[in-house]
Amino acid sequence: MSDCTHDCSTCGSNCGSRDKKSFIKPLHKKARVKKVIAVASGKGGVGKSLVTSLLAVRALARGYRVAVLDADITGPSIPKMFGVHERARGEEGTIYPVCSKGGVQTMSMNALLEHEEDPVVWRGSLIAGAAVQFWTDVLWQDVDIMFIDMPPGTGDVPLSVYQSIPLSGIVIVTTPQDLVEMIVKKAVKMAEMMHIPVLGLAENMSYFACPDCGKKHEIFGASKAEELGKKYAFLATARIPIDPAVARLADEGRIEEADTDALAEIFAQIEGAREIKN
């Protein structure tokens, strides 16, 4: 770039001269995490928290030690889905994760609030800093796979997470609507800018299977998962149905009982993703 000052500390660009590793923040000195998978989207309301939770449940069912970092600071959903309501404990710069009934380690802003319903009314820099602190200050214990539930868009928090946390890969979440390709393209381009592999595309609310006849109804329009998978050469795609039973389990804090078969192909890619260095 012709106007480059060569001072990366004041620049938001991701040019070839930037050393991405210089922005990576260290884990807590006693924490151990092998893989980190971000679950992201270019827009809100597509079901990132649900996909994050279902991937974590699938990992847990296969014997992995699992954690979920809830980076959606102002709209945390993870604790409720996993039935976690107690507050996190901390001492001398260390925060301890709160475990679900099944053993998933979680950390969310809700675990730090006096009341779960209290809003977090912060500016962007504070929100981004809190998300990164969940990586640096939490004593994650021998985690095989950590999933990060990302906030929507490509703003402060996603940028801070992508720059500060060594990611093994990203799973993009979308829905079957006409706007979808533009949204997917934004998420893919951001991942490319940050040199992070996209492991798969999960199309949420893809169809509704009639419980009486078994016919699949594409309520929100024709699926675009296969088309997008080919266009962007995604390693795997998944179509997640509208399932009132799963919604009920999430509402009741029993997501660990949900069926995760729809995400089998994407999870296979996660199993093969690279491990990070602690």
Side-chain angles (χ1 to χ4, degrees):
M1 297 174 60
S2 59
D3 58 346
C4 179
T5 64
H6 302 288
D7 181 7
C8 294
S9 65
T10 64
C11 177
S13 299
N14 285 278
C15 62
S17 63
R18 179 185 289 279
D19 179 8
K20 181 179 181 296
K21 292 183 179 179
S22 66
F23 291 85
I24 297 296
K25 303 295 185 184
L27 266 174
H28 186 288
K29 62 182 179 180
K30 293 183 179 179
R32 294 292 179 271
V33 178
K34 291 181 180 179
K35 294 182 183 181
V36 185
I37 308 297
V39 180
S41 178
K43 69 181 296 294
V46 297
K48 290 181 298 298
S49 296
L50 177 64
V51 173
T52 301
S53 299
L54 292 177
L55 286 170
V57 170
R58 191 166 187 87
L60 186 69
R62 276 147 183 74
Y64 292 102
R65 294 182 295 273
V66 185
V68 179
L69 188 162
D70 191 351
D72 195 351
I73 303 299
T74 60
S77 303
I78 295 301
K80 181 174 177 60
M81 287 188 175
F82 282 92
V84 173
H85 299 287
E86 64 263 38
R87 295 181 70 186
R89 297 182 300 108
E91 58 183 17
E92 298 179 0
T94 297
I95 305 172
Y96 296 95
V98 183
C99 288
S100 71
K101 183 178 179 180
V104 175
Q105 299 175 47
T106 69
M107 180 48 59
S108 171
M109 181 54 69
N110 263 18
L112 303 177
L113 300 175
E114 184 175 358
H115 304 290
E116 291 182 349
E117 299 82 7
D118 290 345
V120 177
V121 187
W122 292 354
R123 295 192 182 277
S125 59
L126 288 176
I127 294 171
V132 174
Q133 276 189 283
F134 287 170
W135 170 256
T136 60
D137 295 0
V138 175
L139 184 51
W140 301 105
Q141 301 178 16
D142 297 321
V143 174
D144 293 318
I145 307 176
M146 171 185 285
F147 295 95
I148 301 182
D149 183 17
M150 300 289 290
T154 55
D156 284 347
V157 177
L159 180 60
S160 294
V161 168
Y162 288 179
Q163 287 185 323
S164 303
I165 299 177
L167 299 179
S168 305
I170 296 173
V171 173
I172 295 175
V173 183
T174 186
T175 54
Q177 295 167 311
D178 288 339
L179 283 173
V180 70
E181 184 169 355
M182 179 182 70
I183 301 306
V184 169
K185 194 169 184 178
K186 287 178 182 291
V188 169
K189 281 192 170 183
M190 186 172 190
E192 290 174 347
M193 289 171 63
M194 307 307 295
H195 306 292
I196 303 169
V198 177
L199 302 179
L201 174 77
E203 184 179 75
N204 193 29
M205 297 179 277
S206 186
Y207 61 89
F208 173 73
C210 175
D212 297 322
C213 67
K215 183 178 179 180
K216 293 181 179 179
H217 300 273
E218 295 180 324
I219 296 174
F220 293 110
S223 172
K224 297 175 178 62
E226 184 176 352
E227 175 187 339
L228 291 172
K230 291 178 179 178
K231 182 169 183 176
Y232 294 102
F234 291 132
L235 298 174
T237 58
R239 297 183 64 191
I240 304 172
I242 299 170
D243 188 342
V246 173
R248 184 172 62 254
L249 290 173
D251 287 342
E252 295 175 355
R254 297 163 50 211
I255 196 65
E256 288 169 326
E257 300 175 28
D259 179 6
T260 64
D261 285 348
L263 289 163
E265 290 187 18
I266 290 180
F267 188 75
Q269 294 298 326
I270 291 172
E271 289 184 300
R274 67 177 180 85
E275 295 186 2
I276 65 172
K277 293 181 180 180
N278 291 178

